[in-house]
């Protein structure tokens, strides 16, 4: 195992670049790759640490794989490490999407591409519904939570606007903190 | 300054994406309408692209929108802007890592955030379904029962069943859907 303080920043960048390049999709898809590249091959941190970082990363604002890369980078080389880890993870995405953006307009009008995209849209709808079902099971268990769901959905449907998602996140956060505090006070009496 | 605007818009996406990939979708759909940098249809396509390429959707959309608006520097600036809130927050939290996840305040916050984010994504799903197969907004303006495409709804049901039952990688379903789309001329 290498001494933690001696891991050069460029090695950190390369390790995360590799993790970023070989996974499809974001979030949890990267966990097995991080285990292999950062834990098994390089021994920089332990598997348990990766799990902890994932647990905390999803309880924080921001994109999960970015947060996890920041945690690991920060653990190894403080702030420069966090920055290099994140740059490593996002660099492959930037390269791939820039290439797609350059090419996309060329074949967007192709008949086969149009039909393929129509089909893909349906798969996306099914994937997103599947995500909602999973999230519903984890997140909507009590009546007040159902009310939050209902209010946020109706606000988005009937009012909408660019800032609505942000207002809803902040609003439900404040509601939750106040409600839970009152609930505890009532119970303790 | 287009770069500043790109930076600010995607910084907000990074900050308010709570709880994983799809949570960025409602923010991106809203941004499509207000900035015109990309269309709502493209957000749907970007979900498929994101499942089939390395990046999370927030970063991917940042790269794409940044590139179309401000070339390669635009793509890089927007992508980094999306990542910055995460880096700042993680650096702040790292010191109190164990205390943080056990904190009552965090648990309370997520008790309320989970249903809110679920609802935001549900609304995003409604938008996508309304665009692709069941045209809710056309109800009343077209002949009875012609506001949806039954072939597409059927295929959607089959897809959803497959996803829930077999739990394979999303890329597989996207590839199948592309082939079905071409064969049946969706």
């Amino acid at each position: 195992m290498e001494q933690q303080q001696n891991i050069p920043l460029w090695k950190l960048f390369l390790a995360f670049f590799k993790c970023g390049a070989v996974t499809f999709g974001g979030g949890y898809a990267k966990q097995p790759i991080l285990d292999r590249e950062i834990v098994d091959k390089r021994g920089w941190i332990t598997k348990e640490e990766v799990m902890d970082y994932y647990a905390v990363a999803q309880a924080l604002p921001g994109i999960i794989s970015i947060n996890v890369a920041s945690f690991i980078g920060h653990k190894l080389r403080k702030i420069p490490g966090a920055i290099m880890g994140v740059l490593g993870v996002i660099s492959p995405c930037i390269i791939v999407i820039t290439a797609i953006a350059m090419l996309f307009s060329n074949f967007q009008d192709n008949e086969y591409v149009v039909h393929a995209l129509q089909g893909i849209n349906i798969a996306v709808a099914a994937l997103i519904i599947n995500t909602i079902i999973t999230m519903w099971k984890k997140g909507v268990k009590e009546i007040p939570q159902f009310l939050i769901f209902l209010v946020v959905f109706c606000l988005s449907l009937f009012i909408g606007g660019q800032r609505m998602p942000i207002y809803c996140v902040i609003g439900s956060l404040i509601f939750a903190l106040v409600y839970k505090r009152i609930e505890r006070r009532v119970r303790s009496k | 300054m287009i770069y500043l605007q790109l930076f600010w818009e995607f910084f907000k996406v990074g900050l308010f994406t709570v709880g994983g990939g799809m949570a960025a979708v409602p923010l991106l759909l809203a941004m499509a309408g207000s900035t015109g940098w990309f269309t709502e249809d493209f957000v749907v396509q970007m979900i498929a692209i994101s499942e089939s390429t390395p990046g999370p959707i927030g970063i991917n959309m940042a790269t794409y929108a940044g590139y179309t608006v401000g070339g390669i520097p635009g793509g890089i600036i927007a992508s980094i802007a999306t990542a910055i809130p995460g880096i700042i927050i993680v650096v702040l939290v790292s010191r109190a890592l164990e205390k943080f996840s056990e904190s009552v305040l965090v648990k309370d916050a997520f008790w309320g955030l989970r249903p809110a984010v679920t609802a935001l994504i549900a609304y995003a799903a409604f938008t996508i379904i309304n665009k692709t197969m069941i045209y809710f907004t056309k109800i009343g303006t077209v002949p009875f029962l012609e506001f949806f495409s039954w072939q597409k709804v059927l295929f959607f049901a089959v897809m959803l069943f497959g996803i829930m039952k077999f739990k394979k990688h999303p890329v597989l379903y996207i590839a199948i859907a592309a082939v079905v789309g071409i064969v049946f001329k969706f």
Side-chain angles (χ1 to χ4, degrees):
Chain A
M1 190 194 257
E2 292 181 61
Q3 268 297 300
Q4 273 176 13
Q5 286 307 317
N6 294 339
I7 297 168
L9 288 170
W10 66 270
K11 272 197 181 177
L12 228 162
F13 177 87
L14 271 187
F16 278 95
F17 187 93
K18 214 172 158 189
C19 294
V22 297
T23 40
F24 288 145
Y28 295 99
K30 286 197 168 56
Q31 195 174 351
I33 312 294
L34 284 172
D35 280 347
R36 199 179 67 214
E37 292 293 326
I38 312 285
V39 179
D40 297 342
K41 273 199 198 164
R42 294 179 175 80
W44 288 346
I45 56 169
T46 65
K47 268 202 173 72
E48 286 71 28
E49 281 173 308
V50 175
M51 278 172 61
D52 290 350
Y53 291 148
Y54 261 97
V56 182
Q58 54 168 319
L60 283 174
I63 294 160
I64 293 180
S65 39
I66 303 292
N67 291 350
V68 171
S70 309
F71 269 126
I72 299 176
H74 186 263
K75 157 100 206 265
L76 299 172
R77 289 294 306 269
K78 300 297 164 201
I79 293 173
I83 294 171
M84 285 316 248
V86 170
L87 285 180
V89 168
I90 66 174
S91 296
C93 322
I94 297 178
I95 295 168
V96 170
I97 299 297
T98 305
I100 289 177
M102 286 169 161
L103 298 171
F104 197 70
S105 53
N106 293 338
F107 58 84
Q108 213 170 5
D109 297 326
N110 179 297
E111 189 200 349
Y112 293 108
V113 174
V114 171
H115 290 311
L117 286 174
Q118 289 293 325
I120 288 172
N121 286 350
I122 294 172
V124 169
L127 287 168
I128 208 167
I129 293 288
N130 182 49
T131 306
I132 294 167
I133 294 171
T134 317
M135 291 179 76
W136 176 281
K137 282 182 193 155
K138 278 190 217 154
V140 189
K141 291 175 180 161
E142 300 166 36
I143 290 167
Q145 287 180 311
F146 176 72
L147 289 177
I148 296 175
F149 177 91
L150 206 63
V151 169
V152 170
F153 189 83
C154 290
L155 284 173
S156 308
L157 183 62
F158 296 116
I159 301 174
Q162 194 202 354
R163 299 226 161 73
M164 190 51 81
I166 296 175
Y167 293 149
C168 289
V169 166
I170 297 172
S172 59
L173 178 69
I174 295 169
F175 173 80
L177 295 180
V178 173
Y179 178 87
K180 284 300 223 182
R181 170 160 282 203
I182 294 170
E183 190 190 52
R184 263 192 292 277
R185 197 164 289 174
V186 169
R187 275 202 190 142
S188 64
K189 268 181 188 168
Chain B
M1 264 303 281
I2 191 69
Y3 292 132
L4 268 180
Q5 202 192 343
L6 272 172
F7 185 93
W8 176 236
E9 289 296 333
F10 281 99
F11 184 88
K12 283 191 287 185
V13 171
L15 187 60
F16 287 100
T17 298
V18 188
M22 293 288 191
V25 173
L27 294 159
L28 294 171
L29 283 173
M31 201 201 284
S34 64
T35 63
W37 288 339
F38 43 84
T39 62
E40 288 189 346
D41 287 326
F42 194 77
V43 177
V44 184
Q45 285 154 25
M46 187 52 91
I47 298 173
I49 292 174
S50 299
E51 297 287 7
S52 326
T53 58
I57 181 163
I59 299 286
N60 287 349
M61 198 49 117
T63 309
Y64 180 86
Y67 174 80
T68 35
V69 181
I72 291 177
I76 294 172
I77 288 170
S79 308
I80 290 175
T82 318
I84 286 179
I87 300 180
I88 296 173
I89 290 164
V90 165
V91 168
L92 294 177
V93 167
S94 275
R95 296 182 189 153
L97 185 61
E98 275 157 35
K99 274 185 206 157
F100 176 83
S101 53
E102 295 301 314
S103 140
V104 179
L105 217 57
V106 172
K107 284 190 179 145
D108 287 357
F110 269 83
W111 176 90
L113 282 174
R114 268 189 217 111
V117 173
T118 310
L120 289 173
I121 298 177
Y123 176 68
F126 170 82
T127 313
I128 292 169
I129 289 170
N130 189 29
K131 274 176 182 307
T132 52
M133 58 191 151
I134 307 174
Y135 312 102
F136 296 104
T137 40
K138 282 192 192 160
I139 293 177
T141 63
V142 293
F144 185 59
L145 287 185
E146 278 183 24
F147 63 90
F148 67 95
S149 149
W150 66 266
Q151 298 98 324
K152 289 182 180 177
V153 173
L154 183 69
F155 180 57
F156 167 82
V158 172
M159 275 274 133
L160 185 59
F161 175 79
I163 291 166
M164 294 175 75
K165 177 120 208 251
F166 302 110
K167 302 189 195 307
K168 298 276 187 230
H169 197 283
V171 173
L172 179 72
Y173 301 105
I174 290 168
I176 294 172
V179 173
V180 171
I182 292 171
V183 172
F184 292 94
K185 294 199 186 300
F186 274 164

